Amino acid sequence: MKVALISDWLVSYAGSEKVEEAILGLFPQADVFTCVFNREAFKGTRFEKARVTESFIARLPGALKHYQKYLPLMPLAVEQFDLSAYDVVISSSHAVAKGVLTGPDQLHICYCHTPIRYAWDFQHQYLNESGMGRGPKGWLARYLLHRFRIWDVRTAHGVDHFIANSRYIGRRIRKVYGRDADVIYPNVAVNDFSLVPEKESFYLAASRLVPYKRIDLVVEAFSRMPDRQLVVIGEGDQEDKIRRMLTPNITFLGHQPFSELRGYMQRARAFVFAAEEDFGIMPIEAQACGTPVIAYARGGALETVQNGKTGFHFDRQTPESIREAVENFETKGVSFGASEIRQHAESFSRERFDREMEAFVLERWDALRMKRGF
């Protein structure tokens, strides 16, 4: 079984890239194809020794730093990969990877992190946040996204089996592509986080400081609760905004190394998570420490945080809704102890992902071979 692994781009080592590395671990002889590859960012990972083929976009000016500006060219780029020599094609896609061309005797499995959000239901938010809500640039962007949606739906027909990273994304795949998807939750490095039953009094918010993570809402909520301590860890475009919002009960630490972040996660009274994520890895990491999570009740958090047991949900992305959830948590607590919260997190482990993903690929490959009379 000759395997090809297709990725949108390999620029930074984050959530989707860790899933792709796990797939590469299951099929270590697989060849990797991607639009742009930042070799420096993947030193020490399985990608360092893999055979990686980049698209023509990698040769364009500033592609490594400004790769997203070349999104209109990426559908053409992934279609140029010649995959005719491979039996199984696994695309890990949140943008264009699923659009590779395959034949009827090849098995194409797409692990879909999400249908590309800024082309579909997040288009208006994306255009407004990028300053392209109006004017000639805005209309050009709208037209390009319109063309992209047509291509995106068409290429869904080239996928034999979809895997969603959550039931939430499964519903988005059904709505956008009209296809059913099996759910295999991403691999979370649960074993990198050890259980600490004794908690301190502070709450923790940690993430990249970008608008959709909504750290500003968490900070505003705690600015209205002067008797509650909040620690904020992260860096990004909104750092100056967050600093201007600080009150004496809020400590901003900026970027911290993994060991420091893990220590705060282990000791925090609760982890506060205000983003609408497709899956959301950090709430699982916090629960692996035995730390409850107060999370926005949308997206993957509905599947990973058990309301009243491993944490609490809040219904609206507003400071008041967060404040109410914190007060609810303070009054009622959660029914699970730290060790039970940890046990829940272990259901999202690397070992579980490896087992489910390998079985899925091999079973579908065997079924295709039987159809072909092999």
Side-chain angles (χ1 to χ4, degrees):
M1 187 175 72
K2 193 171 182 182
V3 179
L5 173 60
I6 320 299
S7 175
D8 297 311
W9 48 76
L10 293 169
V11 175
S12 60
Y13 186 60
S16 63
E17 292 79 10
K18 291 177 181 178
V19 170
E20 291 152 16
E21 186 185 21
I23 296 172
L24 192 56
L26 295 174
F27 306 101
Q29 302 305 314
D31 293 329
V32 179
F33 296 81
T34 189
C35 288
V36 183
F37 180 43
N38 180 3
R39 297 180 183 278
E40 192 66 27
F42 289 86
K43 284 187 174 180
T45 73
R46 291 187 175 99
F47 289 101
E48 186 177 21
K49 296 182 179 179
R51 185 164 68 176
V52 179
T53 300
E54 296 178 275
S55 75
F56 68 82
I57 290 176
R59 299 189 294 274
L60 298 178
L64 199 58
K65 188 174 182 180
H66 303 292
Y67 60 95
Q68 289 182 317
K69 292 183 178 179
Y70 291 112
L71 180 66
L73 295 176
M74 288 185 183
L76 175 63
V78 298
E79 290 175 347
Q80 305 316 303
F81 292 136
D82 181 3
L83 306 178
S84 57
Y86 297 91
D87 301 305
V88 177
V89 173
I90 304 173
S91 58
S92 172
S93 186
H94 52 78
V96 298
K98 73 166 179 50
V100 293
L101 304 179
T102 56
D105 289 331
Q106 293 175 290
L107 176 65
H108 181 183
I109 296 172
C110 175
Y111 190 97
C112 186
H113 303 276
T114 180
I116 185 167
R117 304 188 84 182
Y118 39 89
W120 291 98
D121 47 324
F122 276 59
Q123 173 190 283
H124 303 294
Q125 179 181 331
Y126 163 72
L127 291 174
N128 290 332
E129 289 178 354
S130 61
M132 293 190 294
R134 298 180 180 180
K137 287 185 178 180
W139 282 110
L140 176 60
R142 291 173 194 275
Y143 174 74
L144 292 174
L145 290 172
H146 167 71
R147 297 297 302 175
F148 187 93
R149 283 190 290 272
I150 295 172
W151 176 87
D152 196 29
V153 171
R154 179 186 64 77
T155 57
H157 296 291
V159 176
D160 296 300
H161 302 282
F162 275 99
I163 301 173
N165 69 357
S166 64
R167 294 193 299 272
Y168 169 65
I169 292 303
R171 294 194 297 273
R172 296 193 75 236
I173 291 170
R174 161 53 62 181
K175 190 174 188 69
V176 172
Y177 303 140
R179 299 283 302 278
D180 291 327
D182 291 87
V183 175
I184 298 179
Y185 290 115
N187 50 304
V188 181
V190 173
N191 292 334
D192 290 348
F193 297 83
S194 56
L195 172 66
V196 175
E198 299 79 18
K199 304 300 179 183
E200 298 181 17
S201 60
F202 68 88
Y203 290 78
L204 175 66
S207 127
R208 287 182 294 118
L209 302 182
V210 293
Y212 87 92
K213 294 291 189 179
R214 307 317 309 264
I215 294 293
D216 57 327
L217 296 182
V218 180
V219 171
E220 186 174 347
F222 276 83
S223 71
R224 302 177 187 179
M225 296 184 285
D227 55 333
R228 310 287 184 211
Q229 300 296 312
L230 175 68
V231 173
V232 180
I233 294 176
E235 60 182 345
D237 297 340
Q238 288 200 312
E239 184 168 337
D240 289 340
K241 177 182 179 180
I242 298 301
R243 289 185 182 277
R244 290 193 298 269
M245 297 173 65
L246 298 179
T247 52
N249 62 313
I250 302 173
T251 302
F252 178 69
L253 299 178
H255 171 75
Q256 293 293 310
F258 172 72
S259 59
E260 286 295 313
L261 171 62
R262 179 176 56 192
Y264 279 98
M265 271 191 173
Q266 291 170 326
R267 304 192 309 273
R269 180 164 177 75
F271 182 77
V272 186
F273 188 75
E276 180 181 345
E277 288 276 21
D278 303 326
F279 175 69
I281 288 178
M282 293 193 82
I284 302 296
E285 293 173 339
Q287 291 173 91
C289 302
T291 300
V293 176
I294 298 172
Y296 179 45
R298 291 288 295 274
L302 282 173
E303 300 168 49
T304 62
V305 179
Q306 296 184 327
N307 194 36
K309 296 179 179 179
T310 69
F312 275 98
H313 295 156
F314 56 92
D315 296 329
R316 301 177 307 282
Q317 281 181 314
T318 64
E320 182 59 25
S321 189
I322 295 171
R323 188 192 66 78
E324 290 175 0
V326 171
E327 296 299 338
N328 200 24
F329 170 72
E330 287 285 345
T331 302
K332 299 179 179 178
V334 292
S335 61
F336 280 16
S339 60
E340 293 172 295
I341 295 174
R342 162 76 187 193
Q343 187 175 4
H344 168 67
E346 288 173 349
S347 64
F348 301 95
S349 68
R350 286 173 175 168
E351 293 77 13
R352 185 266 325 152
F353 175 86
D354 288 350
R355 183 174 62 253
E356 293 180 4
M357 189 70 190
E358 184 177 36
F360 187 96
V361 174
L362 295 181
E363 286 172 8
R364 271 62 180 184
W365 172 239
D366 286 343
L368 179 60
R369 292 179 69 207
M370 289 182 65
K371 284 183 180 180
R372 291 162 57 185
F374 288 4

